[in-house]
Amino acid sequence: MTQPVSPPRDSSTTKVSQAQPPAWRGLMARADVRTLSLLGVLAVLILIGGITKPDEFLDTRNLQLVLTQASVIGVVTVGMTFVIVSGGIDLSVGAIVALASVWATTVATQEYGFAGILFTAVVVGVGCGLVNGMLIAYGAMVPFIATLAMLASARGLALQITDGKTQIVTVPSVLDLGERDAYVLGVPPLVLVFAVVTLIGWLVLNRTTFGRRTVAVGGNPEAARLAGIDVRRQRLYLYLLSGLCCGIAAFLLIVLSGSGQNTNGNLYELDAIAAAIIGGTLLTGGRGTIVGSVLGVLIFTTITNIFALNNLQSDVQQIAKGAIIVAAVLVQRRTASTT
């Protein structure tokens, strides 16, 4: 019998398929380009600040101030990045920071000292995150609506607690963290906390099953469910994480300002979302980077500082931020269309 002859292999096709790099290398390359681009923008801003106000901007105290101010919104942005990567949104982070800060600085709470203030701020933040997560994950509410309702409720409760008054912190151990004597090798304690939160966030998102599940839920919730991921529970955990970050940020803000006010955290939700977007996190979910979000925070904080030193009006500053956000979204759309 005649043996069937198999068709000859196309060696050129085989070589091309073998030479084609894995998909993850392309993603890493784009991430590196994006990170380098953000570093370039930050370097240009530092150059502008150094040229326009060399004595003030490059002063060590001013640079420490920039990093300290970035720490509060930066911690919030880390939590926001996880939420957006999962395909969600959290409009209530600023209001949660305000509520946690005023609840933690009441006279009754301050009687328990440092531990009481820190514990209360974290518990209030996690509690608000729990409500958001339950409404969204198990109540089937749209994240935009659920967190918008939390924004209004938390702001109203913060105003009710303070009666519109500023609550002054009288606990020395809390106030001492904002003093220069507490700096570690010239680094403010708030910046160290921000660095630790950033490192933990990066490790969780990039090196753990929790991070992979977050990306999977944001990329395709139905596929994630079929793969055995409890999508509702994952979303609940993510809003708990966002609330936890808000509680930590509230405590940092208490240390920074020495008080609790119902106006704390104003527009933090917009700043956090904007920082995550320009850092490369997709609003549609499925992709994000903690490093990019942190660079976004530093860019916005540096812009604010430069505008303040040059006595420029805040409306011009907001216009500049808006232009940066639009440019970042356009770049995202172009990148997505070419992949």
Side-chain angles (χ1 to χ4, degrees):
M1 298 179 62
T2 303
Q3 296 291 335
V5 180
S6 59
R9 290 185 179 182
D10 189 344
S11 59
S12 61
T13 304
T14 305
K15 290 180 180 180
V16 170
S17 61
Q18 291 177 349
Q20 185 176 3
W24 63 268
R25 290 187 179 178
L27 292 175
M28 289 295 293
R30 287 194 295 273
D32 290 341
V33 170
R34 187 165 49 247
T35 300
L36 291 175
S37 300
L38 292 173
L39 288 173
V41 172
L42 185 59
V44 170
L45 291 174
I46 293 175
L47 181 62
I48 293 174
I51 293 175
T52 57
K53 292 287 183 179
D55 296 333
E56 294 90 340
F57 181 79
L58 297 178
D59 183 71
T60 303
R61 291 177 179 269
N62 182 64
L63 296 178
Q64 290 172 337
L65 176 63
V66 170
L67 292 176
T68 301
Q69 292 175 336
S71 299
V72 181
I73 185 61
V75 172
V76 175
T77 303
V78 170
M80 180 69 79
T81 301
F82 275 89
V83 172
I84 297 179
V85 168
S86 72
I89 199 72
D90 192 348
L91 301 179
S92 63
V93 290
I96 294 175
V97 169
L99 179 59
S101 68
V102 300
W103 207 323
T105 54
T106 60
V107 175
T109 303
Q110 292 193 51
E111 291 179 355
Y112 293 93
F114 183 99
I117 293 176
L118 176 59
F119 177 79
T120 302
V122 171
V123 168
V124 171
V126 173
C128 292
L130 176 63
V131 174
N132 281 335
M134 292 297 292
L135 291 175
I136 294 168
Y138 296 97
M141 288 189 67
V142 178
F144 181 91
I145 301 300
T147 57
L148 184 63
M150 175 59 72
L151 182 155
S153 302
R155 282 289 178 194
L157 185 54
L159 179 60
Q160 187 178 44
I161 291 175
T162 61
D163 195 24
K165 301 176 182 177
T166 300
Q167 298 178 164
I168 304 300
V169 177
T170 58
V171 180
S173 56
V174 174
L175 298 174
D176 289 344
L177 287 177
E179 300 296 330
R180 297 188 64 82
D181 293 339
Y183 288 12
V184 179
L185 300 177
V187 180
L190 275 66
V191 178
L192 295 177
V193 173
F194 176 36
V196 171
V197 172
T198 299
L199 177 60
I200 294 175
W202 184 88
L203 290 173
V204 171
L205 184 61
N206 296 280
R207 294 291 186 268
T208 67
T209 303
F210 182 88
R212 290 191 290 272
R213 288 176 178 173
T214 300
V215 174
V217 169
N220 191 326
E222 182 61 21
R225 185 187 66 82
L226 294 175
I229 298 175
D230 191 332
V231 175
R232 294 190 298 178
R233 185 174 61 186
Q234 184 71 16
R235 285 174 174 163
L236 173 62
Y237 289 161
L238 289 167
Y239 282 95
L240 284 173
L241 176 61
S242 179
L244 173 63
C245 289
C246 289
I248 296 173
F251 180 77
L252 298 182
L253 191 56
I254 291 170
V255 173
L256 183 61
S257 63
S259 64
Q261 305 176 53
N262 65 285
T263 56
N264 282 344
N266 187 35
L267 297 181
Y268 272 19
E269 57 276 358
L270 299 182
D271 289 342
I273 293 171
I277 290 173
I278 71 171
T281 301
L282 290 179
L283 275 175
T284 53
R287 191 184 77 189
T289 163
I290 297 296
V291 174
S293 297
V294 169
L295 289 175
V297 171
L298 292 176
I299 287 173
F300 278 135
T301 308
T302 304
I303 291 175
T304 301
N305 184 260
I306 292 174
F307 274 66
L309 291 177
N310 287 276
N311 296 320
L312 297 176
Q313 296 181 354
S314 59
D315 55 351
V316 181
Q317 173 184 326
Q318 297 302 324
I319 293 173
K321 285 185 177 181
I324 292 175
I325 295 172
V326 171
V329 173
L330 291 176
V331 169
Q332 279 191 2
R333 292 184 60 182
R334 183 173 182 179
T335 303
S337 64
T338 57
T339 57

